[in-house]
Amino acid sequence: MIVFATNNAHKLDEVRQILKGRIEVLSLKDIGCDVDIPETADTFEGNAWQKARYVKEHYGYDCMADDSGLEVDALGGEPGVHSARYAATADGRGHDSEANMDLLLAKMQNKSARNARFRTALALMYKGDEQLFNGVVEGRILTARHGTGGFGYDPIFMPDGYDRSFAEMSPEQKNAISHRGRALQQMVQYLTQEHKL
Ligand code: IMP
């Protein structure tokens, strides 16, 4: 059993699907944690460790925590660690995927270099061991939304080698190639090698 330090239903589904039959995954809600765990680091890795350590220290469970985001080369790596709140104003307005996509599309108007990547850092504290896994998927930013699946920036991100956005893929298709899917695959490979599954 492991706690995944998130309450994002989409992410929980992704992770539960990948670990199905191998490890039972509990959410923060499942363990009665309703605080907004601080994520104040300036790197994905730092935030992932911050969340994992919080759960371990306050609740004592083995846990995993991820921090992900989108890096757009033409914008110097923005929105990066600010992906979730990219369009948010000081009073908290604009903290949603639609506003984030509108802002990114506006900043990318007239930009011909549209390459970008999703990146995930996944911190694992399990059976006395601490490990970090990184997952990356390269792609490009579309000029408009395509598809209605997924979450976050999915409708405007097309992974390299495909002619569909993440939001036009089934969850299984996305999981197989996504940044989080790749980080999780590495974690499963590691746990299998170490006979911890
Ligand atoms: P988190 O750290 O995984 O919660 O991700 C931070 C933000 O990055 C999310 O709120 C989304 O805006 C964006 N993001 C992360 N992963 C994805 C994804 O798979 N698709 C679309 N957007 C994502």
Side-chain angles (χ1 to χ4, degrees):
M1 193 259 283
I2 193 164
V3 174
F4 183 23
T6 187
N7 277 322
N8 178 318
H10 287 283
K11 287 212 263 178
L12 267 172
D13 281 352
E14 273 190 33
V15 167
R16 284 189 170 137
Q17 200 166 330
I18 288 165
L19 295 178
K20 195 158 54 188
R22 302 195 258 204
I23 306 181
E24 185 194 352
V25 181
L26 302 183
S27 68
L28 291 175
K29 202 168 139 207
D30 292 333
I31 61 166
C33 172
D34 58 5
V35 292
D36 220 356
I37 301 178
E39 291 179 55
T40 52
D42 56 7
T43 60
F44 297 125
E45 291 81 355
N47 282 329
W49 281 123
Q50 205 176 358
K51 285 188 276 187
R53 293 221 161 88
Y54 186 96
V55 170
K56 187 79 189 168
E57 278 165 21
H58 290 77
Y59 296 86
Y61 290 110
D62 279 346
C63 64
M64 52 193 275
D66 78 321
D67 194 49
S68 322
L70 181 63
E71 294 175 347
V72 182
D73 287 348
L75 303 177
E78 274 185 25
V81 290
H82 308 293
S83 292
R85 306 183 55 84
Y86 193 38
T89 51
D91 61 6
R93 278 182 301 146
H95 177 204
D96 63 67
S97 298
E98 296 306 320
N100 288 340
M101 281 192 285
D102 285 341
L103 179 60
L104 190 61
L105 288 173
K107 289 199 181 198
M108 290 300 285
Q109 231 173 9
N110 306 321
K111 298 248 196 263
S112 53
R114 305 190 71 87
N115 46 307
R117 70 201 54 75
F118 275 117
R119 192 185 290 283
T120 292
L122 176 65
L124 173 74
M125 305 178 85
Y126 191 59
K127 298 191 177 172
D129 195 12
E130 295 191 4
Q131 293 289 328
L132 185 86
F133 305 93
N134 282 293
V136 174
V137 56
E138 298 282 345
R140 63 195 189 86
I141 303 300
L142 298 169
T143 52
R145 292 167 171 77
H146 291 265
T148 55
F151 72 101
Y153 299 88
D154 279 349
I156 61 170
F157 181 83
M158 185 179 286
D160 286 348
Y162 295 82
D163 59 2
R164 279 163 299 154
S165 77
F166 264 174
E168 293 175 302
M169 294 184 172
S170 68
E172 293 75 18
Q173 284 172 323
K174 183 187 162 188
N175 288 350
I177 59 164
S178 78
H179 47 314
R180 193 164 24 260
R182 286 178 171 159
L184 283 164
Q185 285 154 23
Q186 285 176 39
M187 186 187 83
V188 169
Q189 204 177 358
Y190 170 81
L191 290 170
T192 307
Q193 271 165 18
E194 298 291 311
H195 307 291
K196 289 188 172 175
L197 270 189

